[in-house]
């Protein structure tokens, strides 16, 4: 499905949205421009233009258009969830816009409790759908005319695509792109962002959470008197948003889980809107000239913009000072290029994006680059492989700093099966691959697209700050994210074989009342388990989760 115009994609934003919700499908959709030459125009929609729009605890977002000036016809409308979805679904003015936009859209994708918003429109009545598993029973009771499917990672019913909680949006994004643009395109995007996608919508290891009642808000821990955890996130034009969203998502849940306040600050050359790769603008809260250089945690993402950033001494100088003074430094993907340019990891162990591994290792030969690693920890320096590996590094970091139980509970809350073995790197073979376009696609130039009459361009009202050496235009396919000709070993079909449908583990206890949807640990469980179908990457996950009486047969099996 390659159009001779731009795909018009709208993302509904609101206060207390969960950013990772929409980033799952949006990441897949942003990659079809460099992969296939299909131009994409992303709009973020809110009741007010500009920023900041404050997500749950993360750094602010930036709305490009208001509901009044937004296009009335979307090719794809994305509705995320989050705590703010509850008041949104009760506000008839906001629901009225969502109803009109969804009704006129070609396809509608909801993630997590975004299903609550779509349910409030009445458009899902009689349709099959799913939603966040912790809030599943509550949402199903509120909108009983919807055919809610409790055991599903995502559900497709005509133009209506709905996914389970948070990280399930990545799998739905994979499935959507596979259907609309072909399985090979989806698989290659997955390799580029280094994500092991679930390709079976009925595969849902978190379905049994729906058997419990969510903990009331009052049961969450009170805000700790300890000093807030100060997190700085480096932003720049042509950054890959999902890079920093991995560790940041884990860190934002520290406040929910432990009551320890977490303060995020987005830092760029200039404060204001920052234009990521093909996607919607971000909002930098402070310029480097005014930003602190002392952070509890400094996150450095990657993306095409990391190349000019690493060559700009003014920008590198800020990162050098901040990284040196910060307690911990986390890089994702080609963020390792930026940290390498500071000279601070000379002699240290590190890893980076596998498609650019050799190039970066050559540019910074004094770093002890580890080829086969999902992430690497060397003292205060934490570096991860490409894009989605940031989620696994975030899991490992929270485990190291706040405990294994906290990390596992966050993973369950965002419905993410974390890889807990840093040496399990299914994309290491990409290091030897040569980036190439899809077979038969040549090197297509993005279509110029036809603007919607009377509608501002996606960047209208959100001018991007300039980074020396970085183009403000959307990159041509040859300069975008590369596509490997070979990657992680795949079956002959070119698509990872799905795991079998999950079955509920017997004897699962009722969820704990101290945290939503979490079963209490069972330290006495000693039965040996491993990943099913030879999935060694799930061995550690099965060992820890089965010990907590959370042992879906779709992922785990007894040792031989």
């Amino acid at each position: 499905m390659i159009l001779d115009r731009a795909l018009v994609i709208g993302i509904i934003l609101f206060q207390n949205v969960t950013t990772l919700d929409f980033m799952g499908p949006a990441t897949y959709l942003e990659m079809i421009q460099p992969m296939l030459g299909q131009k994409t125009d992303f709009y973020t929609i809110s009741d007010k233009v500009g920023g900041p729009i404050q997500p749950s605890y993360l750094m602010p977002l930036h709305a490009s258009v208001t509901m009044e000036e937004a296009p009335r016809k979307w090719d794809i409308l994305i509705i995320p969830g989050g705590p703010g979805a509850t008041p949104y679904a009760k506000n008839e003015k906001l629901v009225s816009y969502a109803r009109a936009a969804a009704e006129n859209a070609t396809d509608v994708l909801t993630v997590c409790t975004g299903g609550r918003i779509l349910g409030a429109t009445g458009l899902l009545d009689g349709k099959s759908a799913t939603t966040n598993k912790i809030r599943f029973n509550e949402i199903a009771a509120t909108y009983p005319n919807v055919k809610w499917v409790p055991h599903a990672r995502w559900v497709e019913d005509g133009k209506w695509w709905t996914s389970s909680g948070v990280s399930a949006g990545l799998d739905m994004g994979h499935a959507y792109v596979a259907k609309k643009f072909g399985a090979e395109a989806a698989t290659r995007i997955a390799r580029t962002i280094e994500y092991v996608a679930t390709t079976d919508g009925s595969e849902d290891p978190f379905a049994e959470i729906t058997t419990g009642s969510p903990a009331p808000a009052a049961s969450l821990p009170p805000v700790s008197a300890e000093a807030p955890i100060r997190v700085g996130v480096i932003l720049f034009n042509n950054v890959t948003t999902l890079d920093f969203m991995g560790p940041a998502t884990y860190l934002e849940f520290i406040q929910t889980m432990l009551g320890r306040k977490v303060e995020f600050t987005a830092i760029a050359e200039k404060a204001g809107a920052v234009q990521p790769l093909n996607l919607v603008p971000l909002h930098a809260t402070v310029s480097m000239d005014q930003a602190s250089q002392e952070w509890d945690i400094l996150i450095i993402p990657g993306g095409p913009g990391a190349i000019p950033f690493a060559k700009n001494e003014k920008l590198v100088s800020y990162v050098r000072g901040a990284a040196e003074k910060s307690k911990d430094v986390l890089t994702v993907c080609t963020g390792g290029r930026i940290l390498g340019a500071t000279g601070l990891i000379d002699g240290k162990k590190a890893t980076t994006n596998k498609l650019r591994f050799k190039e970066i290792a050559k540019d910074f030969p004094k770093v002890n680059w580890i080829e086969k690693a999902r992430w690497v920890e060397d003292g205060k320096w934490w570096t991860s492989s490409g894009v989605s590996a940031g989620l696994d590094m975030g899991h490992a970091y929270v485990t190291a700093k706040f405990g294994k139980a906290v990390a596992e509970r966050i993973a369950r809350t965002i419905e993410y099966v974390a890889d807990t073995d840093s040496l399990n790197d299914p994309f290491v073979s990409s290091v030897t691959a040569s980036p190439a376009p899809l077979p038969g696609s040549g090197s297509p130039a993005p279509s110029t697209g036809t603007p919607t009459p009377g509608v501002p361009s996606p960047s209208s009202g959100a001018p991007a700050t300039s980074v020396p050496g970085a183009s403000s235009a959307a990159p041509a396919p040859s300069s975008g994210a590369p596509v490997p000709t070979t990657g992680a070993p795949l079956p002959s079909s070119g698509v990872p074989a799905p795991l079998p449908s999950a079955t509920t583990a017997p004897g699962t206890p009722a969820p704990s009342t101290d945290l939503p949807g979490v079963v209490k640990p069972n330290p006495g469980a000693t039965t040996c388990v491993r990943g099913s179908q030879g999935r060694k990457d799930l061995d550690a996950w099965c060992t820890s989760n089965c010990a907590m009486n959370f042992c879906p047969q779709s992922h785990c099996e007894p040792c031989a």
Side-chain angles (χ1 to χ4, degrees):
M1 175 182 95
I2 303 297
L3 304 180
D4 59 0
R5 60 170 177 81
L7 268 178
V8 184
I9 302 169
I11 302 173
I12 291 180
L13 295 184
F14 45 87
Q15 301 295 331
N16 285 322
V17 67
T18 297
T19 310
L20 187 57
D21 278 11
F22 65 80
M23 278 311 306
T27 295
Y28 268 85
L29 291 169
E30 76 167 325
M31 296 297 288
I32 63 175
Q33 181 160 319
M35 291 280 179
L36 304 176
Q38 170 63 66
K39 183 172 171 55
T40 52
D41 284 347
F42 285 87
Y43 295 79
T44 39
I45 317 147
S46 185
D47 54 347
K48 295 179 182 178
V49 74
I53 294 173
Q54 186 59 54
S56 300
Y57 300 111
L58 268 171
M59 53 267 199
L61 301 169
H62 198 104
S64 55
V65 291
T66 65
M67 294 176 179
E68 289 73 22
E69 65 185 5
R72 284 295 180 255
K73 173 67 176 177
W74 300 103
D75 291 307
I76 303 167
L77 180 68
I78 300 174
I79 307 176
T86 301
Y88 191 115
K90 296 176 181 178
N91 185 316
E92 182 50 38
K93 176 186 175 183
L94 302 181
V95 170
S96 178
Y97 171 77
R99 182 184 297 114
E103 198 164 24
N104 293 326
T106 302
D107 289 312
V108 179
L109 282 62
T110 75
V111 181
C112 198
T113 53
R116 183 196 297 274
I117 295 174
L118 191 56
T121 68
L123 297 174
L124 275 183
D125 289 357
K127 306 291 184 183
S128 295
T130 196
T131 187
N132 172 285
K133 295 306 184 287
I134 291 175
R135 297 299 176 194
F136 187 93
N137 292 338
E138 171 199 335
I139 293 173
T142 305
Y143 307 106
N145 293 329
V146 180
K147 297 177 181 177
W148 296 105
V149 182
H151 201 125
R153 188 70 170 161
W154 75 88
V155 169
E156 173 197 357
D157 191 336
K159 77 174 194 176
W160 311 101
W161 292 68
T162 55
S163 87
S164 193
V166 194
S167 73
L170 276 162
D171 294 323
M172 180 178 68
H174 185 102
Y176 182 83
V177 167
K179 179 162 187 176
K180 301 295 181 177
F181 299 95
E184 186 173 12
T187 299
R188 293 190 171 198
I189 290 173
R191 284 191 196 154
T192 300
I193 66 173
E194 299 188 26
Y195 180 65
V196 180
T198 296
T199 57
D200 180 358
S202 66
E203 160 60 27
D204 185 3
F206 301 96
E208 60 193 88
I209 292 176
T210 62
T211 61
S213 300
S219 69
L220 295 176
V223 176
S224 170
E226 294 182 80
I229 300 170
R230 299 174 63 252
V231 182
V233 181
I234 302 292
L235 296 183
F236 45 88
N237 285 339
N238 284 325
V239 67
T240 299
T241 308
L242 188 58
D243 278 11
F244 65 81
M245 280 308 307
T249 296
Y250 267 86
L251 291 170
E252 75 168 321
F253 273 95
I254 293 300
Q255 183 154 331
T256 304
M257 296 287 172
L258 301 179
R260 179 81 181 273
K261 190 173 182 181
V262 182
E263 294 178 348
F264 289 89
T265 301
I267 313 154
E269 183 184 18
K270 298 178 182 178
V274 176
Q275 183 59 54
L277 172 66
N278 301 335
L279 254 177
V280 294
L282 300 167
H283 189 90
T285 49
V286 65
S287 68
M288 291 180 179
D289 291 337
Q290 298 177 328
S292 167
Q293 286 195 334
E294 296 184 30
W295 303 98
D296 293 309
I297 303 166
L298 181 68
I299 300 176
I300 308 172
I307 297 175
F309 191 116
K311 295 177 181 178
N312 185 310
E313 181 51 36
K314 177 186 175 183
L315 305 183
V316 171
S317 177
Y318 171 79
V319 174
R320 183 183 295 113
E324 199 165 22
K325 295 176 182 178
S326 295
K327 293 178 182 178
D328 289 311
V329 179
L330 282 61
T331 75
V332 181
C333 198
T334 54
R337 182 195 296 273
I338 294 174
L339 188 57
T342 67
L344 295 174
I345 54 173
D346 288 356
K348 305 291 185 182
K349 295 178 182 178
T351 196
T352 187
N353 172 284
K354 295 306 183 285
L355 289 172
R356 296 300 179 194
F357 188 92
K358 287 187 174 180
E359 171 192 327
I360 293 173
K362 182 180 178 181
D363 288 344
F364 307 103
K366 294 181 181 180
V367 180
N368 183 9
W369 295 105
I370 307 299
E371 187 173 292
K372 185 178 181 181
R374 189 70 171 159
W375 74 89
V376 169
E377 173 196 359
D378 191 337
K380 78 173 194 176
W381 311 101
W382 292 69
T383 56
S384 86
S385 194
V387 194
S388 74
L391 277 162
D392 294 323
M393 180 179 68
H395 186 100
Y397 181 82
V398 168
T399 298
K401 301 297 179 177
F402 301 97
K404 181 179 177 181
V406 173
E408 288 175 345
R409 290 180 176 191
I410 292 174
R412 193 157 322 149
T413 300
I414 65 174
E415 299 187 28
Y416 180 65
V417 179
D419 189 340
T420 57
D421 181 0
S422 65
L423 297 180
N424 179 46
D425 186 359
F427 300 96
V428 66
S429 59
S430 295
V431 173
T432 61
S434 300
L438 285 169
S441 65
S443 298
S447 65
T448 56
T450 303
T452 305
V455 175
S457 66
S459 59
S460 176
T465 57
S466 62
V467 174
S471 170
S472 60
S478 59
S479 63
V483 187
T485 54
T486 61
L490 295 172
S492 58
S493 65
V495 179
L499 290 168
S501 298
T503 55
T504 302
T508 302
S512 166
T513 57
D514 57 345
L515 288 171
V518 176
V519 294
K520 291 183 177 180
N522 177 11
T526 57
T527 303
C528 178
V529 290
R530 64 185 181 188
S532 62
Q533 289 195 334
R535 288 282 301 274
K536 292 186 179 298
D537 56 308
L538 291 177
D539 286 352
W541 185 91
C542 290
T543 298
S544 60
N545 282 274
C546 289
M548 297 174 69
N549 284 340
F550 182 72
C551 203
Q553 295 176 22
S554 57
H555 279 54
C556 310
E557 63 184 17
C559 298

